Amino acid sequence: AQKVTQAQTEISVVEKEDVTLDCVYETRDTTYYLFWYKQPPSGELVFLIRRNSFDEQNEISGRYSWNFQKSTSSFNFTITASQVVDSAVYFCAGANTGNQFYFGTGTSLTVIP
Amino acid sequence: GAGVSQSPRYKVAKRGQDVALRCDPISGHVSLFWYQQALGQGPEFLTYFQNEAQLDKSGLPSDRFFAERPEGSVSTLKIQRTQQEDSAVYLCASSFGRPASSGANVLTFGAGSRLTVL
């Protein structure tokens, strides 16, 4: 069975602070894929990043960066210099080579101006 | 279309009524998924189509839930004899490839259909 854990339910930061969202993906499979999605108040899930289990290189894209560590099954997401527009619910998801994508319960991020 | 389109955006039903939710995926996308998202929770898998074939319906909570995609494009999720516990946002997602062969394609989601059962 697969399980996605996002231990942080809600986070509040002041604008321009950095914030890290945690995710742990538990699976017995050696091949799997991890995703981060953003869900703004409008409700539509927006894709942010996908990584596979063989690639532990960290990635930076603008103010976003991701850190994947296979040994701890963690796939953490950092927003640098947060902005009010970053306020949303962020979901981590995992998928094996089957058809199902498993989502965590989400972390609600509020950036205070 | 440019994105995944879902209708209606909001649906209020009386307990016991039947409802039908429509999903229009991105043109050419082979895979189509339905998810159920309860308030404050993450999306939960309901069912998966590859073209017109429903390959996985293990997430459908009861036999009151039925999904179809007869021509491999538009899909309809039908809920019969709705109950209050069916109240949720129903999300549709599509992807270009087949997950098992392509290493888990990225899902593009619609805005969802919010169902409220009174």
Side-chain angles (χ1 to χ4, degrees):
Chain A
Q2 291 76 29
K3 183 179 179 182
V4 181
T5 302
Q6 293 182 256
Q8 304 150 308
T9 305
E10 296 181 359
I11 300 177
S12 292
V13 297
V14 176
E15 197 172 22
K16 297 185 183 178
E17 287 184 344
D18 299 347
V19 58
T20 295
L21 310 180
D22 300 331
C23 173
V24 173
Y25 182 56
E26 298 172 54
T27 178
R28 293 180 180 173
D29 292 339
T30 56
T31 301
Y32 54 89
Y33 304 83
L34 298 170
F35 304 78
W36 276 97
Y37 279 85
K38 174 181 179 180
Q39 189 173 43
S42 61
E44 192 165 331
L45 282 157
V46 178
F47 167 75
L48 296 177
I49 190 171
R50 175 185 69 183
R51 302 300 299 277
N52 71 56
S53 52
F54 296 106
D55 184 1
E56 291 194 72
Q57 272 195 331
N58 295 330
E59 183 168 339
I60 298 174
S61 176
R63 295 186 298 108
Y64 296 166
S65 63
W66 291 271
N67 178 277
F68 171 52
Q69 293 189 343
K70 192 167 185 176
S71 61
T72 57
S73 302
S74 68
F75 185 42
N76 296 336
F77 170 36
T78 297
I79 303 174
T80 303
S82 59
Q83 300 176 1
V84 172
V85 293
D86 296 328
S87 296
V89 180
Y90 291 83
F91 288 97
C92 178
N96 297 7
T97 53
N99 301 319
Q100 292 195 23
F101 289 69
Y102 299 88
F103 285 82
T105 51
T107 298
S108 178
L109 173 65
T110 301
V111 180
I112 303 166
Chain B
V4 178
S5 178
Q6 292 188 247
S7 62
R9 284 295 313 275
Y10 303 93
K11 176 69 178 178
V12 178
K14 291 183 179 178
R15 190 164 61 92
Q17 281 185 332
D18 297 348
V19 300
L21 308 176
R22 176 189 168 106
C23 173
D24 203 336
I26 293 173
S27 179
H29 274 196
V30 168
S31 298
L32 185 145
F33 298 77
W34 283 99
Y35 280 82
Q36 180 190 58
Q37 186 176 20
L39 188 64
Q41 300 296 314
E44 298 267 353
F45 172 82
L46 292 177
T47 187
Y48 162 67
F49 289 86
Q50 185 182 111
N51 295 308
E52 69 279 4
Q54 188 175 20
L55 298 187
D56 189 344
K57 54 181 180 179
S58 62
L60 296 176
S62 77
D63 58 7
R64 296 186 295 105
F65 286 71
F66 173 76
E68 60 183 6
R69 194 186 185 197
E71 297 178 358
S73 55
V74 171
S75 177
T76 303
L77 176 66
K78 298 179 180 178
I79 308 173
Q80 297 176 326
R81 305 180 303 280
T82 52
Q83 304 293 317
Q84 285 189 323
E85 60 262 29
D86 300 334
S87 296
V89 176
Y90 290 86
L91 295 166
C92 177
S94 69
S95 69
F96 180 74
R98 297 170 292 157
S101 65
S102 59
N105 267 291
V106 172
L107 299 183
T108 301
F109 282 85
S113 293
R114 181 179 296 277
L115 172 65
T116 302
V117 182
L118 302 178

